[in-house]
Amino acid sequence: MFVDNEILPSSIVDMIRASPNLITLDLSLDIYGDPANPKWDIDALFQSVDIAPTTLRFRKAADLDLHAFSDSMKPTPFRSFLLSHHDKITSLALPAPQEDFAHPPSLHLPPDTLPVLREFEGSIYWCCQLSKLQVAAKLESLTVLSARALFQEDKHGVVLEALQAFSSLKALNMFHGQIDVSVEVLKFIVDNAPHLECLTCAFERGETAATIGSQLSCLRLRALAANLLRYPHTIPSEVSEGFVRTLAKHCPALVTVEDLDQRDYRICWVATILRKECGIDLEVLQMQI
């Protein structure tokens, strides 16, 4: 079930109640409840329904009181739900907070929480909390979201410390975490996630394709999403083309490429280079146009 903000919250609750065998719940609501408050309350929802989906995704303006959630003595409705059905959840996405607030040092989750979780999307804070669980070594897909209120001075170090626990990752998305990836950071990722097949990130502009490629060559990447244009150029230039060409030579298994640079042009320059010069015929080409 996918739900957007065109449906009233009361109707959502009714639909969920009428779907006892729900497997996937993807809530993409802008508002839950009071239109004057552009948030909706996760606890209010789980106080009203009783479900056990294996995929649970919250997006946009969801409100989750982490201090209340961390109180194991007085579990909130969402904590009660999570701990009651945690052994069934394989995919979980929680939104990054939109406002500054203090985070509790620990969520006090039992180490064996979420034993079959394989895909997670959440803030830097949630990633750190997840890294403390036994399931961290089995996680296959991780998307790091920005957490503006936390780790502003040393978010690189915090994220990298957490990544040490995710040794089985096949897909890593750090782009939305607003973390520029240097060669040193990339080497850390490669060393700690040797099975990585899909990488989404923003490389530091000063890094060369040769130094980035030398690290990526240690992986068998099938999908790469990155900032492929080289500043100060706003259209594909010889510098940008050379960058892509060199990366491709280090990543011969690529079948999916996405250019994360948002520019107003509609030239499939990446696909042309990869096909004509590197012998790579992409199955998927995604570009921000």
Side-chain angles (χ1 to χ4, degrees):
M1 174 183 286
F2 172 81
V3 181
D4 62 25
N5 54 298
E6 295 180 357
I7 305 175
L8 293 175
S10 59
S11 300
I12 294 171
V13 172
D14 291 341
M15 284 192 298
I16 294 175
R17 285 175 176 168
S19 308
N21 298 320
L22 199 64
I23 295 176
T24 299
L25 179 61
D26 188 335
L27 296 174
S28 295
L29 305 178
D30 285 324
I31 296 174
Y32 182 86
D34 183 3
N37 181 9
K39 289 185 177 181
W40 60 282
D41 193 326
I42 292 178
D43 282 318
L45 175 66
F46 282 94
Q47 196 168 21
S48 305
V49 299
D50 183 15
I51 54 174
T54 59
T55 297
L56 188 60
R57 304 184 69 81
F58 297 103
R59 294 183 178 277
K60 298 185 179 179
D63 188 13
L64 177 61
D65 186 337
L66 289 176
H67 281 280
F69 180 88
S70 67
D71 189 347
S72 59
M73 302 303 294
K74 297 179 180 179
T76 62
F78 181 59
R79 185 183 179 95
S80 296
F81 158 79
L82 195 64
L83 295 182
S84 295
H85 304 292
H86 73 101
D87 58 338
K88 302 178 182 66
I89 298 176
T90 59
S91 179
L92 179 63
L94 298 172
Q98 301 299 309
E99 296 180 359
D100 293 351
F101 61 90
H103 294 70
S106 174
L107 293 178
H108 303 293
L109 293 173
D112 60 350
T113 303
L114 300 166
V116 297
L117 187 69
R118 295 297 179 266
E119 178 181 356
F120 182 78
E121 176 181 318
S123 68
I124 296 172
Y125 172 80
W126 271 103
C127 293
C128 291
Q129 295 296 318
L130 192 65
S131 70
K132 302 175 184 179
L133 305 181
Q134 295 172 3
V135 73
K138 300 178 180 179
L139 201 71
E140 296 179 354
S141 177
L142 177 66
T143 297
V144 183
L145 303 178
S146 177
R148 294 181 301 172
L150 189 66
F151 308 137
Q152 286 304 297
E153 295 182 359
D154 188 33
K155 59 185 177 183
H156 281 79
V158 173
V159 171
L160 296 184
E161 182 179 352
L163 282 177
Q164 294 183 72
F166 303 122
S167 56
S168 297
L169 283 182
K170 294 182 179 179
L172 174 62
N173 184 339
M174 298 179 66
F175 182 70
H176 300 291
Q178 299 177 356
I179 300 171
D180 290 336
V181 175
S182 64
V183 168
E184 290 75 16
V185 171
L186 185 58
K187 184 179 187 306
F188 187 93
I189 293 173
V190 170
D191 290 343
N192 287 276
H195 307 295
L196 204 63
E197 297 178 356
C198 306
L199 176 63
T200 301
C201 68
F203 296 122
E204 284 191 355
R205 294 292 179 182
E207 302 291 2
T208 66
T211 54
I212 292 174
S214 65
Q215 294 301 323
L216 294 182
S217 63
C218 300
L219 303 172
R220 186 168 176 79
L221 277 188
R222 293 180 56 79
L224 174 64
N227 48 334
L228 300 179
L229 284 177
R230 303 289 89 192
Y231 284 170
H233 303 285
T234 57
I235 60 174
S237 63
E238 290 184 5
V239 175
S240 296
E241 291 175 359
F243 185 82
V244 172
R245 190 181 300 113
T246 302
L247 280 185
K249 291 178 180 178
H250 288 280
C251 306
L254 281 178
V255 294
T256 300
V257 172
E258 180 177 358
D259 182 11
L260 297 178
D261 280 311
Q262 296 187 11
R263 293 292 180 266
D264 188 18
Y265 61 86
R266 298 174 182 271
I267 305 172
C268 293
W269 62 286
V270 175
T272 300
I273 292 174
L274 296 182
R275 184 179 64 254
K276 290 185 176 181
E277 301 185 27
C278 304
I280 297 176
D281 192 6
L282 295 180
E283 295 177 5
V284 179
L285 175 67
Q286 299 175 329
M287 304 184 76
Q288 301 285 348
I289 56 177

